[in-house]
Amino acid sequence: MGESLDEKLARVLAEDVEVVEYDPAWPARFAAESDRLRSLLPPGTILRIEHFGSTAVPGLAAKPIIDILVSVDEPERVRDEVAPRLEAAGYDFWRPAFGDDGPRYPWFIARDDAGRRTAHVHFAPPDDEQWRRVGFRDDLRRTRTSRRATRGSRARAPGATGTTARHTRPPRRRSSRPTR
């Protein structure tokens, strides 16, 4: 028998979550995950797909987990068609939980080969309130002052989720170009 919901929740909440400086590779990671989702799902399932959250805002410190919002016309399709395909591909499926404070829509956790979270994939209909988060992302992208204020609040509250958090810099990439 598989892991119970309580066991799964305890495991995920025990994971360390780091807040790191902005990594310019995040947009490419979104593009790769978006392509992967499109290849795994039946044609026509994805109406719209957006990179949102802190990793979508250049210059903003964030958890190095790409947040993706996917528009679907029928939420039942997520349960019936999407979940089995993504679970078979290794994603953790989180069903909507209407009796608690968690998300009210289905979402998935993508992981790398070492088991670290790489993406949170949220599914919502086009008229769902979750799409306001894309507008907030756009506001942060346009407004340097808002971005600085958000960055400061994230640095002051790293443990707000109840998990251990550290503020670190991403590893520097070595350049093949000669230095002067």
Side-chain angles (χ1 to χ4, degrees):
M1 182 171 160
E3 190 176 38
S4 75
L5 182 58
D6 287 340
E7 292 167 332
K8 184 188 244 185
L9 187 59
R11 175 178 50 83
V12 169
L13 290 177
E15 294 174 357
D16 285 347
V17 177
E18 296 179 302
V19 174
V20 300
E21 295 298 322
Y22 180 78
D23 185 341
W26 289 339
R29 285 184 42 206
F30 162 73
E33 191 66 33
S34 177
D35 289 346
R36 181 174 185 223
L37 290 167
R38 290 181 194 283
S39 75
L40 291 170
L41 300 180
T45 302
I46 296 173
L47 302 176
R48 177 180 172 194
I49 187 164
E50 293 283 345
H51 182 193
F52 75 106
S54 300
T55 60
V57 181
L60 189 62
K63 299 175 311 232
I65 301 166
I66 306 302
D67 281 307
I68 299 172
L69 186 55
V70 180
S71 179
V72 291
D73 56 353
E74 300 173 42
E76 300 78 30
R77 277 186 89 179
V78 177
R79 181 191 64 227
D80 299 339
E81 297 176 39
V82 172
R85 289 172 184 246
L86 293 186
E87 285 182 303
Y91 291 77
D92 288 334
F93 178 33
W94 292 86
R95 291 144 187 89
F98 295 98
D100 64 19
D101 293 331
R104 306 287 189 245
Y105 53 86
W107 64 287
F108 299 79
I109 298 174
R111 297 179 182 278
D112 64 15
D113 291 338
R116 291 180 300 259
R117 292 187 218 188
T118 58
H120 291 163
V121 184
H122 308 260
F123 285 80
D127 60 348
D128 192 272
E129 68 182 21
Q130 293 305 314
W131 288 96
R132 290 187 299 179
R133 298 166 88 177
V134 174
F136 181 64
R137 173 210 62 195
D138 293 344
D139 288 345
L140 287 174
R141 285 177 171 174
R142 282 190 298 269
T143 311
R144 293 180 62 103
T145 304
S146 295
R147 195 165 48 239
R148 280 194 304 269
T150 302
R151 183 183 315 151
S153 67
R154 291 182 69 81
R156 285 190 301 275
T161 61
T163 60
T164 302
R166 294 180 299 274
H167 185 84
T168 60
R169 291 189 180 276
R172 292 191 183 256
R173 300 194 193 313
R174 293 185 186 256
S175 173
S176 58
R177 290 180 281 165
T179 57
R180 293 180 186 216

